[in-house]
Amino acid sequence: MFSSFSDIVRISNCEAWCKKCNEKNRPQFVHGEGLVVRADVEYDIGWDYGTYGAEDLIMGLQVAKKYGFSTIPDGHIYIAPPTSVTDYYKQRRRWFWSLMNNHGVVRRLSLKTWLFYMYMYLNGFLGLICLFLFPYMVIFDPNLSDFTHLVAVVNLLCFYSYYMFGAAFMKSGAISAMMFILMIPVGFYDGMTSIYALIRPPDFTTFETIKKV
């Protein structure tokens, strides 16, 4: 359940970044399950960039650079979440290290995209810290400025809004309500994946199989 609710944020990512950036040939997010490429283009660009190589993003950036990356098909892409906590954390760990361990390929293809992902992960770390600090700020009211309190509240509202935006695409009042109630634990559930990736890096010589719905 937590994996499913956490994956809802990917809907927000796709609506906010995939559609808007990809249709202008400036891909920021590229997902393998939603990437359709002609056979001759795939043959020319290649696909195998290693187990931890951000292969879908690299391929998308190379397609955009050489051929153009601008057609967004109508309809929706249905993403299957992992079926267990272990597989969910392994999946996110692979994503984390694919961006940190691709020998600078993403950075050379698009510095802007690489900086964008670094910002996203840094923002995730800071957001996780804020989730820990926010109750302390509210309950104990340390000597912080009104501006700092305002920033904390706005940050929390943006956090909620981003998840709820994705939940709205599910067109279910029950799912939106559950998303609202479980927002904080889901945020911890997803945010801790980066901590897990740093503490327990994977074996880069093997490919981990992940079971999905």
Side-chain angles (χ1 to χ4, degrees):
M1 182 185 69
F2 272 81
S3 296
S4 297
F5 278 111
S6 183
D7 261 354
I8 283 177
V9 77
R10 298 179 68 191
I11 300 174
S12 300
N13 288 339
C14 285
E15 292 296 326
W17 304 110
C18 286
K19 288 186 177 180
K20 299 304 179 183
C21 296
N22 293 357
E23 66 187 7
K24 297 178 181 179
N25 199 42
R26 295 180 299 181
Q28 302 297 320
F29 278 73
V30 180
H31 303 298
E33 64 265 59
L35 184 61
V36 182
V37 183
R38 291 201 324 261
D40 59 323
V41 174
E42 181 179 356
Y43 180 80
D44 181 37
I45 295 293
W47 178 260
D48 188 5
Y49 302 105
T51 302
Y52 289 89
E55 68 280 353
D56 47 4
L57 177 61
I58 290 173
M59 185 178 188
L61 290 173
Q62 296 211 66
V63 170
K65 188 174 184 179
K66 189 169 183 179
Y67 292 97
F69 194 93
S70 59
T71 301
I72 306 298
D74 293 330
H76 300 287
I77 298 167
Y78 292 90
I79 299 171
T83 57
S84 69
V85 176
T86 300
D87 282 348
Y88 180 87
Y89 272 63
K90 285 181 179 179
Q91 181 190 58
R92 264 48 178 186
R93 178 174 66 180
R94 189 179 72 219
W95 293 353
F96 178 90
W97 281 108
S98 70
L99 288 165
M100 306 298 174
N101 195 50
N102 58 69
H103 306 292
V105 177
V106 173
R107 186 172 64 252
R108 289 192 296 272
L109 283 170
S110 175
L111 179 61
K112 180 182 177 181
T113 299
W114 182 79
L115 289 174
F116 179 75
Y117 272 95
M118 294 305 103
Y119 163 76
M120 291 287 284
Y121 274 109
L122 178 61
N123 189 51
F125 279 118
L126 293 177
L128 190 64
I129 293 171
C130 286
L131 282 177
F132 280 106
L133 291 180
F134 188 76
Y136 174 79
M137 293 172 61
V138 172
I139 296 172
F140 297 102
D141 192 27
N143 295 321
L144 298 175
S145 67
D146 291 339
F147 177 75
T148 303
H149 281 88
L150 177 63
V151 169
V153 172
V154 170
N155 183 62
L156 189 65
L157 290 175
C158 290
F159 169 72
Y160 262 80
S161 299
Y162 202 68
Y163 272 90
M164 294 307 298
F165 175 74
F169 281 84
M170 304 299 290
K171 296 181 179 179
S172 168
I175 290 177
S176 292
M178 286 289 289
M179 184 79 263
F180 185 83
I181 294 169
L182 295 174
M183 191 81 65
I184 299 300
V186 166
F188 277 112
Y189 180 78
D190 186 47
M192 289 301 295
T193 57
S194 296
I195 306 298
Y196 172 76
L198 289 170
I199 295 175
R200 298 192 63 181
D203 179 359
F204 297 106
T205 62
T206 62
F207 183 81
E208 296 176 321
T209 301
I210 296 170
K211 186 177 180 181
K212 296 184 179 182
V213 174

